[in-house]
Amino acid sequence: MFKTLLSKVGWGELPSSFGYTIGEKVELPFSWNWELHKGQKKSDGSSASVFMCAKKDLDPAQAMAAKNAEQVSKTLRHPNILRAFNSIETEGGVYIVTEEVVPLVTAAAAEGDDDGPAIWGLFQALDGLSFLHSSGFTHGLFGPLAIWVTNQGDYRIGSFELCQKGLDTGSAIAARRRVGPNSSGLPEPPSAMQNGGMPSVGIDMWGAAVLMAFVFASPRARMQLDLRQVEKEIPLDLRKAFMELENPKPLRGRSPLADIMALGFFQQHPAVQVFSFLSNLQLKSPEEKEAFFEGLPQLLEGLSEGVKKRQVLPELLTAQRFPGQEAAHLLPSILKIGVKLTEEQFREKVAPLVAQLFAAPDRTIRFRLLTSLGDMIEFLDDAMINDKIFPECVNGFTDSNGPIREASMIFFVPRLKPKTVESRVLKLLVKMMQDPEASIRTNALICVGRVSGGLPAASVNQTLLTVIGAGLKDPFSPCRCAALQTLIATANNFTAEELAQKLLPGVCSRFVDPDQAVSDVAFTTLPKVQEVVRQKVAERRAAATAKEAGAEPTSTKAEETSSWAQGGSFYNQISALSMDKVRQKFMGSVAGSMNQPGQPAAPAGVQEAPPAPAASAPVQPRAPAQLGGGGSKMTSSSGSTKFGKQPSGGAQLDLDLDDEPAGGGWGDEDIFGDSHPSQAAKADDFGDDFFDEFDAPDLQQT
């Protein structure tokens, strides 16, 4: 909780015009005459940092240095100089309110090695120091302890106790320990720098060398920084510049800091390229902006995730508020970073922008949103998808611009309300198959396949049948390929009848497709779909067998024999009858009928089979004489056997099956009649005995 600290320490009371509340103290990892406190602006509650220096504990030189820091902070304005919001001097002390920051040594310890060396931060610090030198100032305390880091990770130069024009190097070295921040882990300026011959800004250049060593050193090496040992960790492109800063020589009109910042190491580094452009965005032409933002996603690949989230994303969100086309060009990069955020961070930082841009009438922005929707859909809540995003996608289906229609494919069907899917989505997807753009029809097919799992079960089959059937007949060969591939992916959604009767004929027609690629896919599709059909038929048969095995038996004999001709033992025995046995009996009967009186004798050497003995078994009840309502006739003509009337003078076929062994499941009577001539059937009819061969149930037995 923020409170007025002055009432406790007794430094005197701040005037009411001081618009900030002073909060808790921030512990510093070094000794200093100043204290750092968290602050808050009274008017809007925004955060700030408050530097406080108590006068009662200072000697005159230290008090003068504190007052100098307060004056310089108010007058210097540069993006890389710690920005002061307000300052005041009272009888008790000096107060400086700045943007919210923490010491570099604290921030570096918190980040560790996850983000790598802070190349952009080092560049910012060198740029701010170069600005001071070009303005005639010497900082006097420049180094890691004079650098402060914002919440976004930007470096700011502070600690202006010795900052003035024409500062003598010897005087600065003597005063450093008394008025500036001190840490036992950092090196002290070499005594040789007090001998003269150094440029007036030599102390700052040496401090720049210490800062460079600190940035590239490992976390352990930073605790006791040794310039000689850290030198080998400096990149090769910067070692010459590092040694020049460590041992400054007369400038002779040169600007060593500007020369270092112009090196390819900095100018070609992705972080420097990105932030340098964004910091001067308002000065760039529309052509320069468009070219830069088109290549920005590629530049982001060279940055660490922490830098992109903490530094790049806020800059992009700020840049998109500028008038013009920045929002459309920036959107891919914003979403590229946004999808790596946590769900809570995305909803806080990016989701409001997405909702705002979907309502914009600009087609370029809408196209960017639609093409990026698949990446960010999981971070958006259902209410936003149904109320703000889906209506815009629907409008895109009827847009006159082909790319807009193509980008409007709906890949978030499972997130939509079921009523919306049934009433609108299915119709839109089917309608897309009639689009004049071939690529849109192809993508519509692919889209249907991808979202089929989210469609209602009652309508998924009909929708897939419609779009796949249309795709197989499409004049655009990639669309036909897409239809075949969609069928492979969704085959399990169909019944065996739908696959065999409606879809497989279309697949077979693609075997002779004029496009070889389509034909190859069709040959690949057939066995895969055929296997699905086989599995479905096998499952159906297994289910039917299980159901039959679990059926209850009939209760009475009468029920069992009442319909034997329709579904009882008759058909069971017909199905079990061996065709070889029927053929054998049939040919034997033909041979027997040929030996009857009045017919030609059998060839010599052929022994006639002895007549079968009379049947001893009781006569079985006879089935109806006609099968299927008509009396079938069987005749022999010109060496062939067929059903019909027997020609005049033709031989009667007596199919004598009496040679069947007893107990074999067949009766002892002929198929066309029993062994008694009085009961023989006419030659032109099957006779009433035809069904006796199949052991019809004995209806006389009870």
Side-chain angles (χ1 to χ4, degrees), residues 509-588:
S509 68
R510 294 299 103 204
F511 292 164
V512 293
D513 195 281
D515 190 321
Q516 181 180 351
V518 178
S519 179
D520 292 342
V521 176
F523 281 114
T524 304
T525 303
L526 180 62
K528 294 182 179 180
V529 178
Q530 188 178 6
E531 182 61 27
V532 174
V533 176
R534 180 181 286 107
Q535 291 177 358
K536 290 181 177 291
V537 172
E539 291 172 0
R540 182 183 301 176
R541 290 175 178 175
T545 302
K547 182 178 181 181
E548 181 178 350
E552 292 293 333
T554 51
S555 58
T556 64
K557 181 73 174 180
E559 291 177 355
E560 185 176 313
T561 60
S562 61
S563 58
W564 66 272
Q566 287 76 18
S569 61
F570 168 68
Y571 288 108
N572 292 337
Q573 294 184 51
I574 282 287
S575 62
L577 180 62
S578 168
M579 291 306 299
D580 290 338
K581 185 179 294 185
V582 173
R583 188 181 298 110
Q584 180 182 1
K585 294 177 182 295
F586 179 76
M587 296 305 297

Side-chain angles (χ1 to χ4, degrees), residues 40-102:
Q40 193 176 59
K41 192 174 183 178
K42 295 178 180 179
S43 60
D44 58 9
S46 58
S47 299
S49 290
V50 180
F51 292 86
M52 302 169 51
C53 183
K55 288 183 178 180
K56 66 177 183 177
D57 298 327
L58 303 179
D59 59 32
Q62 292 173 332
M64 184 65 68
K67 186 173 182 180
N68 182 71
E70 187 253 341
Q71 293 295 328
V72 173
S73 298
K74 290 193 301 183
T75 57
L76 289 178
R77 287 291 181 268
H78 187 270
N80 299 321
I81 299 294
L82 186 60
R83 185 163 50 133
F85 297 145
N86 199 351
S87 64
I88 189 172
E89 181 181 1
T90 65
E91 295 182 0
V94 180
Y95 306 88
I96 304 175
V97 182
T98 69
E99 57 188 314
E100 189 175 16
V101 290
V102 295

Side-chain angles (χ1 to χ4, degrees), residues 367-407:
F367 179 77
R368 299 280 190 181
L369 285 169
L370 292 173
T371 54
S372 304
L373 193 56
D375 296 330
M376 62 178 174
I377 193 66
E378 60 181 288
F379 296 98
L380 304 175
D381 56 46
D382 292 346
M384 179 178 292
I385 292 174
N386 283 273
D387 300 338
K388 298 182 179 180
I389 296 179
F390 176 71
E392 297 300 330
C393 291
V394 172
N395 293 337
F397 278 105
T398 58
D399 198 285
S400 60
N401 185 275
I404 294 290
R405 296 199 306 274
E406 186 173 0

